[in-house]
Amino acid sequence: MRPAGGALDHDVVVIGAGLAGAATAWQAAGRGLDVLVLEQFGPDHDRGSSHGSARIVRRAYADALYTQLTGRAFELWREAELAAGATLLNHLGALDFGPDRRVDQIVANLSGAGVAHEVLSPTEATHRWPGMGSSTPRWCITPRPAPWTPRRR
């Protein structure tokens, strides 16, 4: 809206329409606020950290806060999919292993959050993926999520 003095009048101005900026604008607009988004590049540009078609979104973190936050993030992605009438995420599952992945903590966090997962020994993992042999004591698989039914508000 442009008042008589020529200045712009909005409740929220978001600078940058990348992933964080677009999510912020979407949530603010959903709360009934008048939002202006300013972006220096045109749609579908290749200059952002989130451009392109391939991204990883995981549930498995050694930090319990991130495991919890990703649960809420997936709920919001699903709301965006319903609003858009399109699939925005293709859930493929994940495999976590290696000495630096803190698999025991990941498993504890997934269990605490009620996220389905599977723990494999090195022998089981090598049998499943012969080319990825490892002496890592435990491997954790987060499978593709089950079909989702939206919550009714």
Side-chain angles (χ1 to χ4, degrees):
M1 163 181 329
R2 190 178 296 272
L8 297 176
D9 183 23
H10 299 279
D11 298 317
V12 176
V13 176
V14 178
I15 300 174
L19 185 59
T24 300
W26 179 54
Q27 288 295 308
R31 289 173 171 78
L33 299 173
D34 182 19
V35 180
L36 172 66
V37 179
L38 302 173
E39 170 58 54
Q40 65 178 326
F41 303 115
D44 201 24
H45 65 82
D46 63 357
R47 297 180 184 170
S49 62
S50 296
H51 78 278
S53 63
R55 293 287 165 275
I56 186 168
V57 182
R58 65 177 69 245
R59 286 296 316 267
Y61 284 95
D63 186 324
L65 176 62
Y66 283 111
T67 302
Q68 294 166 5
L69 289 174
T70 57
R72 178 65 181 135
F74 281 156
E75 289 176 7
L76 293 171
W77 274 108
R78 289 179 184 113
E79 286 180 23
E81 287 179 325
L82 290 173
T87 299
L88 302 174
L89 292 181
N90 184 10
H91 297 273
L92 300 175
L95 176 64
D96 287 278
F97 67 97
D100 297 332
R101 287 297 301 148
R102 297 174 50 197
V103 173
D104 288 339
Q105 189 61 49
I106 288 171
V107 168
N109 292 339
L110 291 171
S111 295
V115 177
H117 61 280
E118 182 180 357
V119 179
L120 302 176
S121 70
T123 302
E124 293 167 318
T126 301
H127 177 73
R128 225 182 261 193
W129 301 285
M132 293 180 58
S134 171
S135 61
T136 300
R138 288 172 43 146
W139 295 45
C140 178
I141 303 170
T142 310
R144 178 187 305 229
W148 176 75
T149 303
R151 292 182 301 176
R152 300 288 177 221
R153 294 186 193 236

